[in-house]
């Protein structure tokens, strides 16, 4: 390992004078892992610059971002590399493409594919490098080192294992289908609702549910309206049975008025038998007060 460190020092000493490199001294390298059920972050601080950071949100793969105290690299684009380790001769750098530099504290967010390649490279001893060439020919580089990465990555994976299945943007809307002609929730519907329920319990700020029940056009108008109401109430019952208060739920039912697809065949009619579920955040002061005379089970029509 000492030979590897010396090789790294040799490479940095041989960089062209015109290249300005931001990187932390070898003996000061550290990785930190932070996170919760919503996001995990694996970070290497960069002396006099900021940090390089892998960020993985619930329901997504990781991206890599470069954080800076200020816009030291300037605007434009930069090249993202998984640079070869100097103790492995004969290996070239991997060019992972370009990134567009912004002017805020977060200079860029890579694609998920680029982040995956950087992580694989770090496990193989490669260094993430961001290289920026200015118009006057000056080259600036920001370099992370693979030192101590394996242990930190294991801790990061422990964090990832605890992430929720989906993030808010993914979970806030769902369509609960009734492929049969009944009003009962099937296993697929319950699985979707369970994911939404888990998110609400993890994030108390997501505290209101809007339900819109729909039917196909198989029956008469009054029958279809009643079916759409009862399907929406089946979803209400699921949430109530799992600890959600009725005052947190708004129900509307529409019968056959808003089909997703034309009711021209059995497959299309099955798609139209549904309840749309929308999770929202309602500030306590703005939340509607429970009304004994008009509970969710006495829903409105449109």
């Amino acid at each position: 390992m000492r030979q590897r460190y010396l090789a790294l020092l040799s490479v940095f000493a041989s960089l062209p004078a015109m290249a300005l490199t931001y990187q932390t001294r070898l003996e000061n390298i550290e990785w930190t892992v932070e996170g919760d059920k919503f996001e995990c972050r694996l970070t290497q601080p960069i002396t006099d610059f900021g940090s390089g950071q892998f960020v993985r949100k619930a329901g997504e793969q990781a991206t890599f971002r470069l954080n800076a105290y200020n816009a030291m690299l300037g605007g434009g684009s930069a090249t993202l590399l998984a640079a070869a380790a100097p103790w492995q001769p004969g290996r070239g750098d991997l060019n992972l493409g370009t990134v567009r530099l912004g002017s805020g504290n977060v200079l860029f967010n890579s694609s998920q594919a680029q982040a995956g390649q950087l992580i694989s490279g770090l496990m193989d001893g490669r260094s993430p490098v961001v290289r920026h060439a200015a118009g006057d020919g000056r080259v600036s580089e920001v370099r992370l080192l693979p030192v101590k990465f394996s242990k930190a990555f294991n801790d990061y994976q422990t964090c990832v294992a605890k992430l929720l299945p989906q993030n808010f943007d993914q979970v806030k809307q769902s369509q609960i289908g009734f492929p049969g002609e009944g009003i009962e929730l099937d296993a697929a519907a319950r699985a979707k609702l369970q994911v939404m329920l888990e998110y609400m319990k993890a994030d108390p700020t997501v505290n209101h549910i809007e339900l819109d029940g729909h039917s196909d056009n198989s029956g008469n108008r009054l029958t279809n309206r009643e079916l759409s109401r009862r399907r929406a109430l089946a979803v209400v019952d699921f949430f109530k049975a799992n600890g959600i208060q009725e005052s947190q739920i708004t129900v509307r039912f529409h019968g056959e008025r808003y089909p997703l697809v034309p009711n021209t065949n059995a497959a299309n009619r099955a798609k139209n038998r549904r309840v749309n579920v929308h999770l929202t955040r309602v500030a306590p002061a703005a939340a509607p007060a429970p009304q004994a005379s008009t509970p969710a089970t006495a829903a409105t029509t449109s």
Side-chain angles (χ1 to χ4, degrees):
M1 183 63 72
R2 180 176 177 80
Q3 290 179 331
R4 293 183 177 183
Y5 290 175
L6 292 175
L8 278 171
L9 292 173
S10 174
V11 168
F12 297 140
S14 65
L15 288 172
M18 65 186 301
L20 175 63
T21 298
Y22 297 96
Q23 59 96 29
T24 301
R25 289 178 61 88
L26 203 60
E27 63 271 21
N28 296 329
I29 294 294
E30 63 177 11
W31 292 89
T32 62
V33 177
E34 301 174 291
D36 50 29
K37 292 183 178 181
F38 307 104
E39 182 179 280
C40 293
R41 298 172 297 280
L42 175 59
T43 307
Q44 183 178 119
I46 304 168
T47 302
D48 298 328
F49 186 87
S51 64
Q53 186 175 67
F54 293 95
V55 180
R56 181 162 176 173
K57 295 181 179 180
E60 299 181 7
Q61 296 300 310
T63 59
F64 176 76
R65 67 175 55 159
L66 194 62
N67 306 307
Y69 302 133
N70 53 58
M72 298 178 183
L73 298 185
S77 62
T79 302
L80 186 61
L81 304 167
W87 60 82
Q88 296 173 322
R91 304 178 74 198
D93 296 345
L94 299 180
N95 188 327
L96 305 184
T98 60
V99 291
R100 176 62 59 179
L101 299 176
S103 57
N105 291 335
V106 178
L107 297 187
F108 70 85
N109 283 285
S110 77
S111 69
Q112 294 178 1
Q114 288 172 325
Q117 290 173 297
L118 288 176
I119 289 173
S120 296
L122 280 161
M123 296 296 289
D124 197 30
R126 292 180 177 272
S127 291
V129 172
V130 180
R131 183 174 295 158
H132 177 255
D136 58 4
R138 291 179 299 171
V139 176
S140 299
E141 286 191 350
V142 181
R143 181 179 292 260
L144 280 68
L145 300 183
V147 178
K148 303 178 183 178
F149 180 75
S150 294
K151 170 61 169 61
F153 186 69
N154 287 339
D155 294 341
Y156 167 79
Q157 290 290 75
T158 299
C159 178
V160 167
K162 298 176 183 178
L163 289 173
L164 293 167
Q166 294 183 346
N167 58 51
F168 182 66
D169 287 338
Q170 295 169 329
V171 80
K172 66 182 178 181
Q173 294 192 75
S174 188
Q175 185 173 287
I176 305 303
F178 293 79
E181 297 183 5
I183 60 172
E184 301 296 327
L185 298 174
D186 61 15
R190 289 181 176 277
K192 284 185 178 181
L193 292 173
Q194 187 64 38
V195 170
M196 303 182 90
L197 180 68
E198 286 182 31
Y199 193 93
M200 290 187 71
K201 290 185 174 181
D203 185 355
T205 68
V206 180
N207 55 7
H208 195 77
I209 305 168
E210 296 179 358
L211 304 178
D212 289 274
H214 301 272
S215 73
D216 62 22
N217 68 344
S218 295
N220 62 52
R221 183 178 178 184
L222 291 178
T223 299
N224 291 339
R225 183 183 297 168
E226 177 62 12
L227 283 171
S228 68
R229 184 182 78 90
R230 294 178 69 184
R231 287 168 183 148
L233 294 182
V235 178
V236 171
D237 290 342
F238 174 90
F239 281 117
K240 286 173 60 180
N242 286 278
I244 303 300
Q245 299 299 309
E246 195 167 338
S247 59
Q248 296 176 254
I249 307 173
T250 298
V251 176
R252 294 177 289 266
F253 49 95
H254 309 281
E256 64 195 63
R257 292 184 63 188
Y258 303 110
L260 282 178
V261 290
N263 285 291
T264 52
N265 54 56
N268 281 8
R269 285 191 290 273
K271 293 178 181 178
N272 290 329
R273 296 191 292 270
R274 71 200 191 276
V275 175
N276 293 339
V277 186
H278 184 204
L279 303 184
T280 62
R281 293 181 168 96
V282 177
Q291 299 178 12
S293 59
T294 55
T297 52
T300 58
T301 63
S302 61

